[in-house]
Amino acid sequence: MAIYSVNEVIEMAVQIERSGYAFYNEAAKRKDLDEKAKDFLIYLRDEELRHEKTFLSLRDEVDLQVLQLSVDWELIAEYLKTIVESRIFNSEFSAIQLATKAKDIKEIVENAITFEKDTLLYFHTLSDNINEPRTHNALRKIINEEVSHILKLSEMKKKLV
């Protein structure tokens, strides 16, 4: 397994949050959902934005300098996006399809739980293979944020049964 830097791990987390945002944003637009369900989806959508900002704030000055000095960062970021898409949602478009094709709020929540669990598993797998303390610490923070989403979604799912 490849060893990733802090910048690379953060970039992957940001890409996942953007796909999650697309999923929740599209789901919240559905006309067949009541206001309570829409409000919950909007809350989760906004949490994805908050997570993205949180993850970006894990970079320090040295990490930002590395990004500025890297002539290949855009190419690396695109490559990391491809890695994430192949393991989690396939693409932002796929996230939108899942949100629009779900038959009801229960299926939307189940899709979201699957997405969050896949994300959690992905970052746990990365974490198991990274020894560098700063990168490992960043992964722990990312994992904790994802766990919070799973708990909220599981709570919502219980209310739907």
Side-chain angles (χ1 to χ4, degrees):
M1 169 163 283
I3 304 290
Y4 296 105
S5 70
V6 170
N7 281 324
E8 292 166 332
V9 166
I10 291 169
E11 185 63 28
M12 286 185 278
V14 165
Q15 293 300 332
I16 290 170
E17 295 307 307
R18 289 178 181 163
S19 289
Y21 178 90
F23 174 80
Y24 294 122
N25 190 54
E26 201 59 37
K29 292 178 185 177
R30 290 177 54 134
K31 305 289 185 213
D32 61 327
L33 301 178
D34 63 29
E35 285 305 308
K36 188 175 178 180
K38 286 183 183 184
D39 288 345
F40 180 66
L41 293 167
I42 289 168
Y43 165 77
L44 290 171
R45 177 200 67 196
D46 293 346
E47 281 288 289
E48 297 294 313
L49 285 177
R50 187 183 66 76
H51 285 177
E52 181 179 340
K53 289 177 185 170
T54 298
F55 300 158
L56 288 171
S57 75
L58 296 173
R59 289 182 172 135
D60 66 15
E61 286 301 314
V62 174
D63 300 323
L64 294 172
Q65 286 176 349
V66 168
L67 288 179
Q68 290 174 347
L69 295 174
S70 175
V71 293
D72 298 1
W73 182 249
E74 287 181 25
L75 182 62
I76 292 167
E78 194 60 35
Y79 171 70
L80 294 170
K81 181 179 179 184
T82 303
I83 290 171
V84 166
E85 287 176 350
S86 69
R87 287 178 170 79
I88 311 291
F89 248 145
N90 293 337
S91 71
E92 222 172 82
F93 179 69
S94 177
I96 291 169
Q97 281 187 324
L98 282 174
T100 56
K101 292 187 177 189
K103 65 181 178 200
D104 56 19
I105 185 64
K106 186 176 178 185
E107 189 174 335
I108 291 170
V109 170
E110 287 170 355
N111 287 339
I113 289 171
T114 299
F115 166 64
E116 298 291 348
K117 283 182 177 179
D118 287 350
T119 301
L120 193 57
L121 180 62
Y122 179 69
F123 283 117
H124 265 296
T125 302
L126 283 182
S127 178
D128 290 345
N129 293 289
I130 291 184
N131 296 321
E132 197 279 314
R134 286 196 59 250
T135 306
H136 199 268
N137 187 43
L139 278 164
R140 297 301 324 150
K141 290 178 182 177
I142 291 166
I143 287 167
N144 289 338
E145 291 290 332
E146 298 307 324
V147 167
S148 73
H149 263 186
I150 291 172
L151 294 173
K152 288 172 187 156
L153 286 161
S154 295
E155 238 177 77
M156 177 66 163
K157 185 177 177 183
K158 286 177 190 173
K159 292 177 185 177
L160 294 173
V161 176

